Amino acid sequence: MDKQILMANLSWVDYQKRVQNGKEAVLLPIGAIEQHGPHLPLATDLLFAEAIAKRCADAIGAIVAPTITYGCKSQCRSGGGNHFCGTTSLDAKTMIDHLVDVVREFARHGVRKLGLIDIHYENDMYVLEACDLAIRELKYAGITDFKIVKPNVNVILDLERLRPFYPEGFSSIALEHAGKLETSVMLYLHPELVQQDRYPPDVFAHFPPYDTFPPETQHVPPSGALCPTSGASRELGETVILNLADGCATAFRQGFAV
Amino acid sequence: MDKQILMANLSWVDYQKRVQNGKEAVLLPIGAIEQHGPHLPLATDLLFAEAIAKRCADAIGAIVAPTITYGCKSQCRSGGGNHFCGTTSLDAKTMIDHLVDVVREFARHGVRKLGLIDIHYENDMYVLEACDLAIRELKYAGITDFKIVKPNVNVILDLERLRPFYPEGFSSIALEHAGKLETSVMLYLHPELVQQDRYPPDVFAHFPPYDTFPPETQHVPPSGALCPTSGASRELGETVILNLADGCATAFRQGFAV
Amino acid sequence: MDKQILMANLSWVDYQKRVQNGKEAVLLPIGAIEQHGPHLPLATDLLFAEAIAKRCADAIGAIVAPTITYGCKSQCRSGGGNHFCGTTSLDAKTMIDHLVDVVREFARHGVRKLGLIDIHYENDMYVLEACDLAIRELKYAGITDFKIVKPNVNVILDLERLRPFYPEGFSSIALEHAGKLETSVMLYLHPELVQQDRYPPDVFAHFPPYDTFPPETQHVPPSGALCPTSGASRELGETVILNLADGCATAFRQGFAV
Amino acid sequence: MDKQILMANLSWVDYQKRVQNGKEAVLLPIGAIEQHGPHLPLATDLLFAEAIAKRCADAIGAIVAPTITYGCKSQCRSGGGNHFCGTTSLDAKTMIDHLVDVVREFARHGVRKLGLIDIHYENDMYVLEACDLAIRELKYAGITDFKIVKPNVNVILDLERLRPFYPEGFSSIALEHAGKLETSVMLYLHPELVQQDRYPPDVFAHFPPYDTFPPETQHVPPSGALCPTSGASRELGETVILNLADGCATAFRQGFAV
Amino acid sequence: MDKQILMANLSWVDYQKRVQNGKEAVLLPIGAIEQHGPHLPLATDLLFAEAIAKRCADAIGAIVAPTITYGCKSQCRSGGGNHFCGTTSLDAKTMIDHLVDVVREFARHGVRKLGLIDIHYENDMYVLEACDLAIRELKYAGITDFKIVKPNVNVILDLERLRPFYPEGFSSIALEHAGKLETSVMLYLHPELVQQDRYPPDVFAHFPPYDTFPPETQHVPPSGALCPTSGASRELGETVILNLADGCATAFRQGFAV
Amino acid sequence: MDKQILMANLSWVDYQKRVQNGKEAVLLPIGAIEQHGPHLPLATDLLFAEAIAKRCADAIGAIVAPTITYGCKSQCRSGGGNHFCGTTSLDAKTMIDHLVDVVREFARHGVRKLGLIDIHYENDMYVLEACDLAIRELKYAGITDFKIVKPNVNVILDLERLRPFYPEGFSSIALEHAGKLETSVMLYLHPELVQQDRYPPDVFAHFPPYDTFPPETQHVPPSGALCPTSGASRELGETVILNLADGCATAFRQGFAV
């Protein structure tokens, strides 16, 4: 499957045939290298995003562009904070410039439909800024029919489908970092990268209602996981992936059709 | 009150006495010029932030720095979108640079405790990036005891206290833009700027679970208000302001004490 | 008056009616937060600029945009220098980017006549650069009928009208910082912000015919005032304000008519 | 092997154990998405660099950081030119900023030895600039023992070992783009990505002794391959990879030992 | 003389001997390529600055660094405006970055006294910004004894010494562009570059008391000269040059001695 | 000759006549201030480039623009490294911005053919990036017929013509820095700037096959010359200059004719 879906694997001639004149959409995963507890790999968000992107591309007939590997700075309350060893982040300006650069290139290729897949919460606003700047610059170049669609995975996630896995109720996606949900996703996608003997103690991180700089790291569990992992399962992971892949594919279909 | 609280009104000598050696905190409101329906002023978020800042400064004995007037780009789902006439936004990079610049200056003044008050959701992530960059640069200058505290008003807002005003339940702060809550706040703070005969039709905006660029403006109510205004009242506004001022003051006390 | 003149107070609908298709001009005050001696507020230049802007808007039927609060770095010979506590300045690049950003936005709104009011000498050249860059970028966007007019208050100031107040002759506007003229302006505009019991000793600053970096602060009077305040009066302030408001209004009429 | 070598796959805890206090080196591949003829994948340079990096990490006991995916603009004479569909490049400034950002992060992690693996000629000078800027900034942060080593693959390539495969003589690495050498490397590393039925006609590109902008594309073979592919073989590819992996490992050992 | 005064002509060994440990000052001329009427060369300001720099270096025993060739944008009222053919200007940001870069390098060389010679009015404020930024960055690098001195030629110019040449009174240096004074300077320095048969008609430019963007070019004399050339003479030029060289040398002596 | 060839010496009127409507080409030398051993001046590359530019301009009827004085950072293996005292370099970004700025200005003048002459190897890739960015921006301004030609002096250099001077064979242009070839060029162009009694010991620099940051300066001969000077002669210098001037002129003729 990958061979025909991944732009990285295509020759330029094959790629050109598929994208020129705005034919096929290109889906671009945006990654992150960020601590995900002692049991999950640093690339968790990246692998998560790529998995969704490939499934969407398969579903709607699109090409997956090479992932932007590094993401924006981890915040304490959403990713544990950027003080963790291993978390490796770009300045916001670099992410913005990077995304603008590749949009400019895709537009030159003839692409007119670009989908963005981003799982790393801290990328979101910088990605939106880049989209605005890219569309603005494309106008200067006379290109006015370029469309970017960015699904909001937090909204797409169907809490109904999660319910069987969370009899006590799904607390909040906002606190889910390296916890039951993400661990499940990795168990489904890359079980060989999950160290099941290293699950951190079950705790919910509690943050004061303010951010500080430099960050007050005492509010972050030392493990880096912001919520319990107990109950993580391959089945939950599959449910999440299928739900999001389905929902994102629908988002792309609708967004590009407009 | 303002005369002693507003940095803008102080002479440099009076200001210096209060901030040198890290004595008093400086609270910096970050604003926005953004459409808020046909009935509220473009500066709604700015006025909201300044009101909180002044009350906090009064409560904790701090100085309010002059507001950064213009904010970051409005997004459809949180502010109606940046295509509205009147919405006047900075590029993200400009906001980041601006905030870094003034932090550098406050640090030079001797300030060591800086509080940020931001009501405009779209500023948030860029402000956090600026804080990170500023703290990084201050380290290069040998300053390691500068602390920035940024209360999260969405978390501080006490839904219990809102309940009497929302018998049907408070839908979601995420969708509150130019609706009952913000209208109430303006009725309390600046009733002369609320055009009560221009309330838009009561509708809840519904967005697809994805963002698009250029934005799909058909999902945004033509008025720019993302939720109903019915039931707006000075009393609700007062409750919100007092709640947030109280909560932010507590946040500053805690954050600076650490 | 303010309600209809200040963009900040207008709803987007009211604003749009007035500016779309280039109808009304928008006047943008550019401020500064800069020491003005022990007796004047840090926002002196900002308040000065806003006062002129409002009077001009009233005279020519224009809208006053929210002020760009912070200005460019104070220089010793014109503002005492950027080493003073309280003086809070932007890097030049930030000011340039900021102004370009808002010009881009005003152009999107339909504005075609933008007036700039700047009293802070050190903003001047950076503002001109921003105007050049903004007009350049608007051309890329296909907008070629946008006009920016920036009155030169130093030239507009009518020395004849000042003569009665300066029987000994008006030394030089170049050295007027926190002295008789600016103190008078504040006495007229905001007497409550003038600490008349804190007037600094009457001295004229004398600078060597060169600038140094880091600045040689020994040439700057410790008070921060570069010239005497003796003789400051509300009447002189009124004369200055009326003269400049009148002159700037004329400048806008002529500049926009071309 | 990959699990322990790839930073992406490590948990932050495992990564930290290995890099803190400058223990293990981190090797960072720098990629490119660039046309490589009708028969090779767009990610050829990236896959090439990653293969070298993994072998080096295995040899010297280092960690391979996630690849910087996108590279700098293709030039006609070295990569066919940036006008090709599929070639997707960053502006130089973006690459520089990106690399500076991740060096800053690795230094924060405790890494003190960073190896760079770059096969894409057009990245070279921008990477060197980034290294200079990063080392400069680390000094401001008080870090003076960070060492970056970047092997020069063109020099390391041992022409003696190539001789059996080039009885007619190895023309020049400078012209090798998507030709016999790179095709062989891909046949060795990723035979499934080589379309052997799509080899372009054997031609040597000839360029005038000058560059032009916009580029004179008539000098570039339409296939994008700058030299013949005839004679490509898995054996040659293996020889090249083993030679370069060996040479780069030696370079790292020497460079980090100094 | 030039051989020993011009850094460009020195070997690095000879240069090092003279500047290391902050021994000799380096004087850096900052130029401009700007129209100076039909009779003067585009490099007038650059040649003017270099002439002053060499004489100062001779007087105080300093080295003249290679000139920054291109200057900042010409403004209508001071240089005729940047719409003239031939006027070739940098964006402000570029000038600022350029100057910061070379200051950083001079500091690395061991230079501790840097003099700047600038005749082109429009460079002034951007140069001051660069000086501030450079000194700021040098502090991060631990260098706190670097001193920059920039003479203000407009203040140094001794109107008394000009009086014999201006029996009717010297109007204003502000309007002197390509007029009697600059023409005289070129007659003295580079008579072969003055086209005496091409003197423009004697007119004084009159500008409205405001700037406009795009510029209102009708206020600029078509020749580009802003004041009359009649009476230009080699003697006046010599007087100006000797006066300024003397004054600048004194400024450097004083500034560096502090 | 210079008077009519050097843009710096022309009046704007004369310049305009020659370049408007794309008539004559403009040739822009790009320089460097870089150590060239104890015997050659810091401006060697700059003087070299200017000499070629003037001869080309004479040959093809073009104008030589004022040189961009400072170049990009010296690398150990090509210029001895940027740690040498006297070597004074721009950050890459500054060079890129500078060149983009002047291209924008030449385009405004009506120039449509711009030739670049660069001898300093380390400028090359940054200059190419600037050319790409400039052409991109000119498109936004609606200018699509601007052509930049940059001869590659390393390719143009005719090894056949060097042979009589190198009976032992010409080792490699890559290692030629401040050696026999460049010394010869200076003996021909500026013998007064060559200190023949200061020739460094004859050595060939040997570098390991990798770059390091900070640079390993022990591989660079202390003199800064990377190869022997023995045998340098005015005749060889003349041969090189005439060869390169001829070849570059041909390159311009061909490049602009396309």
Side-chain angles (χ1 to χ4, degrees), chain B residues 136 140, chain D residues 104 137:
Chain B
R136 183 204 290 172
Y140 298 166
Chain D
R104 192 191 299 113
E137 186 181 334

Side-chain angles (χ1 to χ4, degrees), chain B residues 93 133 136 139-141, chain D residues 101 104 137-138 140-141:
Chain B
K93 200 171 70 63
L133 297 183
R136 183 204 290 172
K139 273 190 202 150
Y140 298 166
Chain D
D101 283 355
R104 192 191 299 113
E137 186 181 334
L138 290 183
Y140 299 167

Side-chain angles (χ1 to χ4, degrees), chain E residues 115-151:
Chain E
L116 302 178
I117 307 276
D118 172 33
I119 294 292
H120 181 60
Y121 168 75
E122 288 92 338
N123 286 337
D124 186 57
M125 288 301 287
Y126 309 115
V127 166
L128 298 188
E129 172 73 9
C131 291
D132 179 82
L133 296 184
I135 293 293
R136 183 204 290 172
E137 186 181 334
L138 289 184
K139 273 191 201 150
Y140 299 167
I143 298 174
T144 58
D145 57 347
F146 196 94
K147 185 82 175 276
I148 308 176
V149 173
K150 180 175 188 298

Side-chain angles (χ1 to χ4, degrees), chain F residues 67-91:
Chain F
T67 304
I68 297 182
T69 311
Y70 294 89
C72 294
K73 288 166 195 159
S74 182
Q75 300 295 333
C76 288
R77 69 182 60 253
S78 43
N82 215 64
H83 55 286
F84 272 92
C85 184
T87 298
T88 312
S89 307
L90 302 180
D91 280 6

Side-chain angles (χ1 to χ4, degrees), chain B residues 4-221:
Chain B
Q4 286 142 2
I5 276 188
L6 296 183
M7 177 185 175
N9 291 351
L10 295 177
S11 78
W12 75 270
V13 175
D14 293 333
Y15 170 76
Q16 186 183 45
K17 276 187 203 136
R18 293 175 57 183
V19 302
Q20 64 187 355
N21 302 320
K23 272 199 294 194
E24 285 191 30
V26 165
L27 306 185
L28 173 65
I30 304 176
I33 302 300
E34 186 191 30
Q35 72 81 15
H36 274 76
H39 61 303
L40 294 181
L42 288 163
T44 292
D45 285 353
L46 181 156
L47 296 166
F48 195 162
E50 288 185 343
I52 302 293
K54 285 181 196 171
R55 281 163 176 79
C56 285
D58 201 39
I60 69 168
I63 291 174
V64 176
T67 305
I68 297 183
T69 311
Y70 294 89
C72 293
K73 287 165 196 159
S74 183
Q75 301 294 333
C76 289
R77 70 182 59 252
S78 44
N82 215 63
H83 55 285
F84 272 92
C85 185
T87 298
T88 312
S89 307
L90 301 180
D91 280 7
K93 200 171 70 63
T94 307
M95 170 59 85
I96 293 169
D97 289 345
H98 191 319
L99 190 47
V100 169
D101 283 355
V102 296
V103 171
R104 192 191 299 112
E105 289 286 67
F106 290 133
R108 178 175 61 74
H109 300 164
V111 175
R112 286 299 176 268
K113 293 173 284 193
L114 177 66
L116 302 177
I117 307 276
D118 173 34
I119 294 293
H120 181 60
Y121 168 74
E122 289 92 339
N123 286 338
D124 185 56
M125 288 301 287
Y126 308 115
V127 166
L128 298 187
E129 172 74 9
C131 290
D132 179 82
L133 297 183
I135 293 293
R136 183 204 290 172
E137 187 181 335
L138 290 183
K139 273 190 202 150
Y140 298 166
I143 298 174
T144 58
D145 57 348
F146 195 94
K147 185 82 175 277
I148 308 177
V149 173
K150 179 175 188 297
N152 185 331
V153 292
N154 287 344
V155 175
I156 286 172
L157 192 66
D158 184 350
L159 299 186
E160 281 308 303
R161 290 173 69 175
L162 294 189
R163 193 163 298 173
F165 299 94
Y166 289 90
E168 77 290 5
F170 181 62
S171 58
S172 159
I173 188 79
L175 270 183
E176 172 57 57
H177 181 80
K180 178 175 167 180
L181 190 145
E182 290 197 321
T183 303
S184 297
V185 166
M186 283 300 111
L187 283 172
Y188 174 61
L189 295 175
H190 297 280
E192 78 284 3
L193 298 179
V194 181
Q195 301 188 59
Q196 301 198 40
D197 55 338
R198 302 276 291 278
Y199 282 178
D202 273 358
V203 291
F204 280 103
H206 288 291
F207 294 99
Y210 54 84
D211 293 305
T212 56
F213 289 85
E216 295 183 356
T217 58
Q218 73 271 28
H219 301 297
V220 184

Side-chain angles (χ1 to χ4, degrees), chain D residues 39-213:
Chain D
H39 60 304
L40 294 180
L42 288 163
T44 292
D45 285 354
L46 182 155
L47 296 166
F48 196 161
E50 288 184 344
I52 302 293
K54 286 181 196 171
R55 281 164 177 79
C56 286
D58 201 40
I60 68 167
I63 291 174
V64 176
T67 305
I68 297 183
T69 311
Y70 294 88
C72 294
K73 287 165 197 160
S74 183
Q75 301 293 333
C76 288
R77 69 182 59 251
S78 44
N82 214 64
H83 56 284
F84 272 92
C85 184
T87 298
T88 312
S89 307
L90 301 180
D91 280 7
K93 199 171 70 64
T94 308
M95 171 60 85
I96 293 169
D97 289 345
H98 191 319
L99 190 46
V100 168
D101 283 355
V102 295
V103 171
R104 192 191 299 113
E105 288 286 66
F106 290 133
R108 177 175 62 74
H109 300 165
V111 175
R112 287 300 176 268
K113 292 172 285 194
L114 177 66
L116 302 177
I117 307 276
D118 172 34
I119 294 293
H120 181 61
Y121 167 75
E122 289 92 339
N123 286 337
D124 186 56
M125 288 302 286
Y126 309 114
V127 165
L128 298 187
E129 172 74 8
C131 291
D132 179 82
L133 297 184
I135 294 293
R136 183 204 289 172
E137 186 181 334
L138 290 183
K139 273 190 202 150
Y140 299 167
I143 298 175
T144 58
D145 57 348
F146 195 95
K147 184 82 176 275
I148 308 176
V149 173
K150 180 176 188 297
N152 185 330
V153 292
N154 288 344
V155 176
I156 286 172
L157 192 66
D158 183 350
L159 300 186
E160 282 308 303
R161 290 172 70 174
L162 294 189
R163 193 162 298 174
F165 300 93
Y166 289 90
E168 78 290 4
F170 181 62
S171 58
S172 159
I173 187 78
L175 269 183
E176 173 57 58
H177 181 80
K180 179 175 168 180
L181 189 145
E182 289 197 321
T183 303
S184 297
V185 165
M186 284 298 111
L187 283 172
Y188 174 61
L189 295 175
H190 297 279
E192 78 285 4
L193 298 180
V194 181
Q195 300 189 60
Q196 301 198 40
D197 54 339
R198 304 275 292 277
Y199 283 178
D202 273 358
V203 291
F204 280 103
H206 289 290
F207 294 98
Y210 54 83
D211 294 305
T212 57
F213 290 85

